Amino acid sequence: MGITEPDENVESRIRAAAALIRSARYLTAFTGAGISVESGIPPFRGAGGLWDRYDPRTLQIEFFLRHPDQAWPVIREIFYDNFGRAKPNRAHEVLSAWERDGWPRGPGSSERGFLKCLITQNIDNLHYTAGSRNIAEFHGNSRLLACLSCGARVEAHADLLKNLPPRCPCGGIYKPDFIFFGEGIPEAAHAKSQEAADLTDVMLVVGSTGEVYPAALVPRRASDAGAKIIEINPEPSEFTGSITDIHIPLKAGDAFRRLQEELRV
Ligand code: NAD
């Protein structure tokens, strides 16, 4: 049973969520593909999703290793040409501002709270571009390329992607530094997420179906450890009926605008 009832209106949910954020000692956020939809990046699945247009095989690690010359043109189109044009939206910007400047603890209070950790499943770099720095990139990112031979990491500049597959000076092939189907979660990001889940008292869960594992275990672990879960998603998810305390059924941009307004009151 959540803090708010399913039939309570959105306004009272925003007020209840803002009160939780105001009082949070260790606020964290967990984001999924939905937070980037208003930046023009479609989710993978569902109508209009990426897999309507592209073959998901190109992101299977075995296929990539065997046929980098076939996989790379598709990868460049999705993750560098298309994602590369996207700009952070209000939701990314508010989360970045909460990490950098915090939010007022309450009317007249000079004390501020700060977003302590942002865990994202996204690989579009939009949190980073918006200025967030304390990020656990659970699935890696497309900002960097990693050499399959020597392990060197470099920024994915357009020049490097002119001739495919891109190659490291050592002769090895570069792979985007996000995980492909069949690969494990990056160790450092995994450890950072576990720590955040254990420490947090309030977690925002934004734009995630909760169907992708093991990522979906992060908010579940936080809830098990006693954290309150505020979910922002226009649709119900796997989290909604199970761990969510307050569901704000709005698009991420609208929800963060209204939360910001409420926190300034
Ligand atoms: P997902 O499981 O992350 O779910 C997308 C969710 O976003 C849905 O519940 C949907 O209702 C919600 N949503 C849609 N519009 C929204 C909005 N405006 N505001 C808030 N929520 C909104 O999505 P998926 O597409 O199945 O992704 C699976 C995995 O694929 C992700 O975990 C991620 O690693 C990867 N992925 C990343 C990106 C990206 O980097 N932007 C894009 C697609 C997929």
Side-chain angles (χ1 to χ4, degrees):
M1 176 73 70
I3 292 175
T4 53
E5 298 299 324
D7 59 350
E8 277 190 276
N9 66 31
V10 172
E11 210 45 59
S12 63
R13 296 183 193 202
I14 297 278
R15 275 199 301 276
L20 271 185
I21 291 168
R22 238 185 231 123
S23 65
R25 292 288 134 203
Y26 204 99
L27 184 79
T28 55
F30 172 86
T31 67
I35 198 169
S36 297
V37 166
E38 289 160 88
S39 292
I41 296 183
F44 278 167
R45 288 167 289 140
L50 287 170
W51 301 146
D52 276 358
R53 276 178 288 152
Y54 299 101
D55 181 352
R57 242 181 7 154
T58 46
L59 286 190
Q60 265 153 17
I61 191 63
E62 278 183 15
F63 181 85
F64 177 84
L65 294 176
R66 233 179 291 136
H67 308 286
D69 47 329
Q70 287 179 44
W72 253 111
V74 180
I75 290 169
R76 180 173 63 188
E77 184 174 330
I78 303 177
F79 298 100
Y80 297 95
D81 297 346
N82 295 345
F83 279 29
R85 279 192 286 272
K87 301 268 180 294
N89 63 52
R90 186 196 304 269
H92 299 103
E93 282 159 6
V94 170
L95 287 171
S96 163
W98 285 355
E99 176 188 307
R100 190 184 59 239
D101 307 323
W103 60 87
R105 282 266 184 230
S109 167
S110 58
E111 211 194 328
R112 301 186 88 73
F114 290 90
L115 181 74
K116 297 291 199 297
C117 185
L118 170 56
I119 301 128
T120 188
Q121 299 174 81
N122 297 342
I123 53 179
D124 56 26
N125 314 317
L126 291 182
H127 286 300
Y128 187 87
T129 309
S132 290
R133 287 298 176 267
N134 197 5
I135 317 174
E137 292 172 322
F138 205 82
H139 294 154
N141 64 70
S142 52
R143 192 172 60 253
L144 301 176
L145 302 177
C147 173
L148 290 171
S149 299
C150 72
R153 281 177 166 73
V154 291
E155 291 272 341
H157 287 302
D159 279 356
L160 262 179
L161 300 178
K162 272 188 189 142
N163 298 314
L164 299 179
R167 285 189 185 272
C168 175
C170 83
I173 288 176
Y174 282 126
K175 172 188 165 295
D177 204 14
F178 55 75
I179 58 165
F180 282 36
F181 297 119
E183 288 192 287
I185 304 302
E187 224 171 89
H190 189 253
K192 194 177 171 87
S193 321
Q194 305 288 294
E195 188 191 49
D198 292 341
L199 291 174
T200 189
D201 57 346
V202 181
M203 180 177 273
L204 291 152
V205 175
V206 189
S208 178
T209 53
E211 291 170 13
V212 177
Y213 280 85
L217 293 173
V218 175
R220 294 191 176 280
R221 181 170 173 136
S223 171
D224 286 349
K228 298 290 181 218
I229 306 293
I230 300 168
E231 182 178 11
I232 296 172
N233 194 322
E235 304 293 333
S237 73
E238 292 294 314
F239 299 124
T240 318
S242 52
I243 59 165
T244 298
D245 293 289
I246 300 174
H247 176 208
I248 300 177
L250 296 176
K251 290 181 178 176
D254 292 338
F256 277 98
R257 178 177 52 75
R258 291 173 72 169
L259 283 172
Q260 273 288 62
E261 286 165 3
E262 185 64 30
L263 285 166
R264 281 200 204 102
V265 172

